[in-house]
Amino acid sequence: MSGGRPAVWAAVVPAAGLGRRMGFDKLLAPWHGSPVLAHTLLGLRRAGLTQLVVGVRDAAAVRTAVLEPFGLEGARLVPGGASRAETVARCLEALPAGVTHVLVHDAARPHCSVALIHAVMDAAEREGAAAAALPVVDTVHRADGQERIAETLDRSALRLAQTPQAFTLELLSRAHREGRSGSDDAGMVASLGVPVHLVPGAPENVKLTVPADLPAAGGEPMPWAVGLGHDVHRLVPGRPLILGGVRIPHELGLLGHSDADVLAHAVADAVLGAAGLGDIGRHFPPDDPAWEGADSLLLLRRCRGLAAAAGWRPAQVDCLVQAERPRLLPHAGAMADNIGGALGIAAGRVNVKAGTNEGMGFVGRHEGMAAQAVVLAARQGPV
Ligand code: MG
């Protein structure tokens, strides 16, 4: 509240920095798929701040890359100044009438939570001035000018400044009008002799500063991948029928070099597909004597290892056996357990389906069986 009236908020975002440490305009660079500045402005809007004033260098570029695609046309763009303070001062001059409180937030902090924004706003409404800040967890040395330790500081009273910072319009305007020094707005207001209330900041509310803070060109690595698998085997007398590692009583079995487990092969094919490793024929040639009569669950475990070496962990499987007979559904649970066990997937994340082919084709004539699978894989380990 300000003088008994409800606070009317606007957000000011200085976004005219040259990004010297970044080497390019970091605010328009993609971060999690969208420009950094779009994340920042959308975060403020999610917190209920609809009056946005943004100090920019290239208004046309910001309009095209950020405002129009993200429905932020209501934001007011103001030409930025030569310094951060000058940019904020220009934004203050462009505020809509009736604003009583201003929240200032760095354009390059796209990961600020609504909760932190609200905490700073609440404190500013209560105290007049507030800023997010973090305790210092590392030891702090003062250097002597020649990169030698002159002194180790007591960090318990030190705070690292973050934004958001929020003030009554009157206080912030006065600090800028009087040309107060300080490398941020909280410092400028504090130099007026006004207490600035510190609100616990958030470690994840980082300021993107150097190129390493942004993903490499081409975007951040995708966390998921899907793979598709397919296999067919002929039905013949005198062979066991093994599906998903389950031996199923039947007058015919599947013909193949290994145990001919058509379902395990389709799943293995999908695991390799998700990891971008081709198909099972490439890794397990059908003429390799090592796989003569082999248990295909072993092959599935090998595929899990190959995928892991490529940085992928199978996370979910959906698969289907097409067989005219026998009835397979009673065995579906045991097949799912075997497949999940071989791939290290939790119970409930492997789904096995069985269906007939309505009498059509080689499956319908009971000449063979077919299987299909899709595997969702999660990226694991450093990339
Ligand atoms: Mg096969």
Side-chain angles (χ1 to χ4, degrees), residues 17-36:
L18 288 171
R20 280 195 193 87
R21 281 172 288 187
M22 198 64 87
F24 57 94
D25 192 342
K26 64 183 173 183
L27 301 179
L28 299 183
W31 184 78
H32 292 286
S34 306
V36 170

Side-chain angles (χ1 to χ4, degrees), residues 5 27-28 73 78 95 110 147-148 157 215 233 251 284 371 378 383:
R5 291 175 294 121
L27 301 179
L28 299 183
E73 289 95 336
V78 173
L95 286 177
E147 287 311 295
R148 292 178 307 208
H233 280 266
E251 74 272 18
F284 308 98
V383 290

